[in-house]
């Protein structure tokens, strides 16, 4: 038994046939998958978190202020800065020299944006 591939009729013009099937060659009969909204939302949130982490670098400058409310038992407190009316949060873990600070103590500190909340916090708090 001999196998042959049909190659069409000699001198046959296939232009009409190709013009009819040609445009559909690039199209798939299967519809593209719908976007997973939960996955897209999670990726968006992750992108925001990464952006906040990048923004979480120190915002620069040495600032001065006064300890307004030290909370020794929990390891954090608040500073009344000289440059602003709003009190700034600080935590002992970000300020190794801040242990033993009392209300009214003059301090020097740097500012950093908190990754989770986006709020500004004091770091490297030390007595003046």
């Amino acid at each position: 038994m001999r196998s042959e591939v049909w190659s069409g009729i000699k001198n046959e013009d296939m232009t009409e046939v190709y013009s009819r099937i040609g445009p559909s060659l690039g199209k798939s009969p299967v519809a593209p998958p719908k976007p997973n909204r939960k996955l897209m939302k999670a990726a968006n949130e992750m992108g925001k978190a990464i952006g906040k982490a990048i923004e979480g670098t120190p915002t620069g400058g040495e600032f001065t202020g006064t300890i307004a409310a030290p909370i020794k038992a929990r390891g954090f407190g608040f500073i009344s800065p000289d440059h602003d009316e709003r009190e700034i949060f600080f935590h002992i873990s970000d300020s190794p020299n801040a242990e033993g600070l009392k209300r009214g103590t003059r301090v020097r500190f740097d500012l950093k944006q908190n990754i989770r909340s986006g709020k500004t916090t004091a770091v490297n708090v030390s007595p003046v």
Side-chain angles (χ1 to χ4, degrees):
M1 183 164 157
R2 207 170 111 195
S3 66
E4 290 184 26
V5 177
W6 184 71
S7 58
I9 301 171
K10 286 186 180 183
N11 300 327
E12 183 180 18
D13 184 18
M14 298 293 290
T15 309
E16 181 185 350
V17 175
Y18 290 139
S19 67
R20 291 183 184 189
I21 63 169
S24 66
L25 291 177
K27 296 181 181 175
S28 172
V30 178
K34 293 181 180 179
N36 184 333
R37 297 202 188 277
K38 287 182 182 178
L39 185 59
M40 290 174 66
K41 184 178 178 182
N44 188 24
E45 293 299 319
M46 182 182 281
K48 288 179 183 176
I50 290 171
K52 284 185 180 179
I54 291 169
E55 291 170 5
T57 57
T59 57
E62 260 196 11
F63 299 94
T64 57
T66 307
I67 298 293
I71 303 173
K72 296 176 188 174
R74 299 191 64 192
F76 65 89
F78 295 91
I79 298 172
S80 293
D82 295 338
H83 70 280
D84 196 355
E85 294 177 5
R86 294 176 290 161
E87 291 185 342
I88 299 174
F89 174 85
F90 75 93
H91 196 274
I92 296 295
S93 65
D94 295 328
S95 306
N97 299 326
E99 289 188 35
L101 293 175
K102 297 180 178 156
R103 185 184 305 267
T105 305
R106 297 280 302 151
V107 292
R108 179 179 291 124
F109 60 93
D110 295 322
L111 294 177
K112 175 182 164 187
Q113 190 171 13
N114 186 297
I115 294 172
R116 289 184 189 161
S117 68
K119 295 181 180 178
T120 302
T121 61
V123 294
N124 302 324
V125 178
S126 60
V128 176

